[in-house]
Amino acid sequence: PVTPFSMRPSRHNDFGAASGAGFTLIELVFVMLILALGALFVAPSMSSFFHGRVLSSEARRLLAVMHHAQSRAIAEGVPVILWLDATEQTYGLSAQNGSAGTAAQDSRYTLDPSLTLEIPASANQSGSELDDERLGISDNLAFVRFLPGGFYDEGSAARIILHQGEGGGMELVPDADRLSYEII
């Protein structure tokens, strides 16, 4: 006599019954194919994202070097020049040594090969009567000269442009209060 509420033994074994409990090899291959196709469509946009990061990173590094030069001019009480060489794709710092007006090249930075440096000609990049603004820096180099008071002088580059490929670029220009430069 079996009652409707009596328990019947199960035919399903809990230790390894595989019917419908997992994925087949074909299902796994299909999922991997979908993921690979998704990665294929996302890869070009990720590539441009990383290329843009190089440009942004270099602009921030150049701005940090500018802030360092400004701080150093204030701390040491001597003019410090950030020089920019568009032909060699380099830039660096030079500080005045002693009272003779000579300069020592302190640091040099090279741009990533995918970037180019452009410094549009500025009408006010000229020397003084003593020709000491450049502190021995070559005439064919653009520069930003930071004075011991923390300001940059009027003869400094008005715009510094970093380009990557044929696309647009990032510019470093004097900020509104003319104390520093900013990225636009």
Side-chain angles (χ1 to χ4, degrees):
V2 177
T3 63
F5 297 108
S6 69
M7 296 186 64
R8 296 189 178 141
S10 171
R11 287 191 251 170
H12 181 21
N13 184 355
D14 289 336
F15 298 107
S19 63
F23 296 106
T24 65
L25 181 60
I26 292 178
E27 290 171 328
L28 289 175
V29 168
F30 184 69
V31 168
M32 292 300 291
L33 182 65
I34 290 173
L35 290 174
L37 286 174
L40 184 68
F41 288 114
V42 171
S45 62
M46 290 303 290
S47 173
S48 65
F49 168 76
F50 288 116
H51 284 290
R53 300 300 301 162
V54 170
L55 177 63
S56 176
S57 176
E58 190 66 45
R60 287 192 317 269
R61 181 172 80 160
L62 180 56
L63 188 62
V65 169
M66 283 182 155
H67 288 152
H68 173 69
Q70 187 176 28
S71 297
R72 185 170 172 196
I74 294 168
E76 295 179 12
V78 296
V80 176
I81 287 184
L82 168 71
W83 54 267
L84 304 142
D85 188 348
T87 56
E88 296 291 323
Q89 299 300 304
T90 59
Y91 57 93
L93 294 180
S94 295
Q96 182 175 355
N97 289 337
S99 60
T102 59
Q105 190 173 4
D106 296 318
S107 58
R108 180 184 181 99
Y109 303 92
T110 303
L111 293 177
D112 184 272
S114 67
L115 301 176
T116 56
L117 179 64
E118 176 188 351
I119 301 98
S122 176
N124 61 347
Q125 269 207 306
S126 60
S128 70
E129 296 170 7
L130 300 175
D131 199 27
D132 65 346
E133 267 87 9
R134 292 183 173 269
L135 300 175
I137 303 298
S138 173
D139 286 339
N140 64 345
L141 298 181
F143 66 92
V144 177
R145 181 176 187 243
F146 292 99
L147 304 172
F151 299 98
Y152 57 88
D153 72 3
E154 296 296 321
S156 297
R159 284 179 30 200
I160 301 165
I161 306 169
L162 291 170
H163 293 283
Q164 186 171 27
E166 298 298 321
M170 297 184 91
E171 293 186 31
L172 283 83
V173 297
D175 61 6
D177 59 8
R178 298 199 46 86
L179 289 175
S180 186
Y181 280 67
E182 64 185 354
I183 299 172
I184 58 168

